[in-house]
Amino acid sequence: MNKYSFQRPEMEMPLQSSHYNPSRETLGRYSEYSLHSSYKIRAGDAASTNSVACTTRIPYATLIAALLCCTGIGIFCCTMYRGVTLSALVLDQVFHLYIGWLETVKTVLVLIAAGMGAITLMIIFVGFLATGATRRRVYKAWRNRVGGRISCAVFMGIIYVLQFFWIFVFGLLIVSTFILTVFWKMCVSTQVQDNHQCIDLTQFIFLFPQSTRVEYLKICEVREIKFFCRDFVEKSEFMFMMATFGVILILISLVHYLMCLSANYAHIRDHEKFEELQELQLLQDTDFATSKERF
């Protein structure tokens, strides 16, 4: 052995035997335990650390947005499906009209629900990939980070387009709900309820197809008045109100999606910088712990 070489007993101690607790906590926070074979932890600490690591991999904000979106889509599609069915019945029974494209609207509602559900699942998947330790594992390579940024940007563009679409739907529902409210006021008016006058809808002829006959817009029979007011207007007004509430939830969820995707884009873009800062912090803490043990 060289006469100038010497070893102190405390220098031979592994890192886990050190009494410098901040260094141990820093290593546990910024590094993987499998990369440091000399760093051992107890079983209880390992279980708690694993549970914390699992919770940090969950994109809570994206899941909240998905819950809002699914709730809004469910309310909108169910109420609108019922509202379209009632509209087809009243047009056939009261105004003697058959509009074939109303059946197409039902199919479109089902497709909207399926499409929004698929987009929600894909955004949740992107959120899981860009959250916590999963991001550090998936987006290590440069190509992976570019792909993650592109996917976030594409979904942000899709959400922008969907937001304009749902704003348009929201406007249509507001107008439809207002018209149904006017119809209901006509149904409960004194002239109709007490004086048994006809419900005159000729001033709303622009809302009906051009083939509608003017005499059909005057509802005079008791059966038709009951069917129009009780079975259609009263129920449809509630359905359209609930559909409007569902669209509001959808719009809120879309804004929430944009915030989550923007945050994920920034996290993926700056992932390499975060890793360098963590490694620098790890080296500084390790050097400080070594110097404290030496002196």
Side-chain angles (χ1 to χ4, degrees):
M1 180 181 295
N2 192 349
K3 63 180 180 179
Y4 295 105
S5 63
F6 64 94
Q7 290 184 348
R8 296 175 58 184
E10 60 270 17
M11 294 297 294
E12 298 176 356
M13 297 175 63
L15 183 59
Q16 71 272 14
S17 299
S18 172
H19 297 287
Y20 186 66
N21 293 329
S23 177
R24 180 183 300 179
E25 294 176 358
T26 305
L27 281 174
R29 184 183 304 170
Y30 293 110
S31 62
E32 298 291 339
Y33 300 128
S34 59
L35 298 179
H36 304 276
S37 58
S38 61
Y39 182 69
K40 307 296 182 181
I41 57 176
R42 294 175 299 179
D45 295 338
S48 61
T49 304
N50 291 333
S51 62
V52 172
C54 290
T55 56
T56 57
R57 289 185 173 94
I58 300 176
Y60 295 102
T62 304
L63 292 179
I64 292 173
L67 179 62
L68 289 174
C69 184
C70 292
T71 304
I73 287 295
I75 294 174
F76 171 79
C77 291
C78 292
T79 54
M80 284 301 299
Y81 193 92
R82 178 60 177 167
V84 171
T85 303
L86 291 174
S87 300
L89 287 175
V90 75
L91 288 174
D92 182 42
Q93 298 294 328
V94 178
F95 302 105
H96 308 286
L97 293 173
Y98 175 76
I99 301 179
W101 55 265
L102 289 178
E103 296 296 327
T104 306
V105 172
K106 296 180 181 179
T107 306
V108 171
L109 290 174
V110 176
L111 294 177
I112 288 175
M116 292 297 294
I119 291 174
T120 298
L121 290 177
M122 288 186 285
I123 293 178
I124 290 175
F125 180 72
V126 172
F128 272 103
L129 291 181
T131 303
T134 308
R135 180 178 67 249
R136 293 193 290 271
R137 292 179 180 273
V138 174
Y139 296 113
K140 285 184 177 180
W142 176 80
R143 292 183 178 179
N144 295 345
R145 290 196 295 271
V146 172
R149 291 166 61 182
I150 291 175
S151 62
C152 289
V154 169
F155 280 113
M156 288 172 65
I158 294 174
I159 295 300
Y160 267 115
V161 175
L162 289 176
Q163 198 162 15
F164 286 114
F165 168 75
W166 285 108
I167 289 174
F168 175 73
V169 174
F170 178 74
L172 291 180
L173 288 175
I174 291 294
V175 174
S176 301
T177 305
F178 175 76
I179 293 174
L180 289 172
T181 303
V182 173
F183 286 171
W184 178 248
K185 292 297 182 181
M186 296 175 65
C187 289
V188 298
S189 63
T190 306
Q191 291 80 3
V192 175
Q193 295 294 326
D194 298 335
N195 301 331
H196 303 287
Q197 295 182 4
C198 298
I199 299 177
D200 189 4
L201 300 178
T202 54
Q203 64 268 30
F204 300 103
I205 192 172
F206 62 92
L207 297 175
F208 296 88
Q210 295 181 354
S211 59
T212 306
R213 300 175 62 177
V214 179
E215 56 268 22
Y216 290 155
L217 297 180
K218 293 183 179 181
I219 307 173
C220 299
E221 296 184 7
V222 178
R223 183 186 64 84
E224 292 183 349
I225 291 177
K226 178 182 178 300
F227 186 81
F228 177 76
C229 294
R230 296 294 179 183
D231 297 337
F232 170 67
V233 175
E234 185 178 6
K235 295 179 180 178
S236 296
E237 184 182 16
F238 175 75
M239 293 296 173
F240 277 83
M241 286 182 178
M242 291 300 297
T244 305
F245 175 72
V247 172
I248 292 175
L249 291 180
I250 294 171
L251 290 174
I252 294 174
S253 68
L254 292 179
V255 174
H256 207 159
Y257 276 144
L258 286 177
M259 292 188 293
C260 295
L261 289 171
S262 300
N264 292 336
Y265 182 90
H267 289 159
I268 296 172
R269 182 190 60 186
D270 299 331
H271 173 72
E272 187 176 3
K273 296 179 181 178
F274 293 153
E275 288 292 325
E276 292 176 355
L277 290 175
Q278 289 178 358
E279 292 295 333
L280 180 61
Q281 181 68 27
L282 176 62
L283 291 175
Q284 290 178 351
D285 291 339
T286 305
D287 293 340
F288 185 71
T290 304
S291 62
K292 184 176 179 64
E293 292 171 356
R294 182 177 302 172
F295 297 104

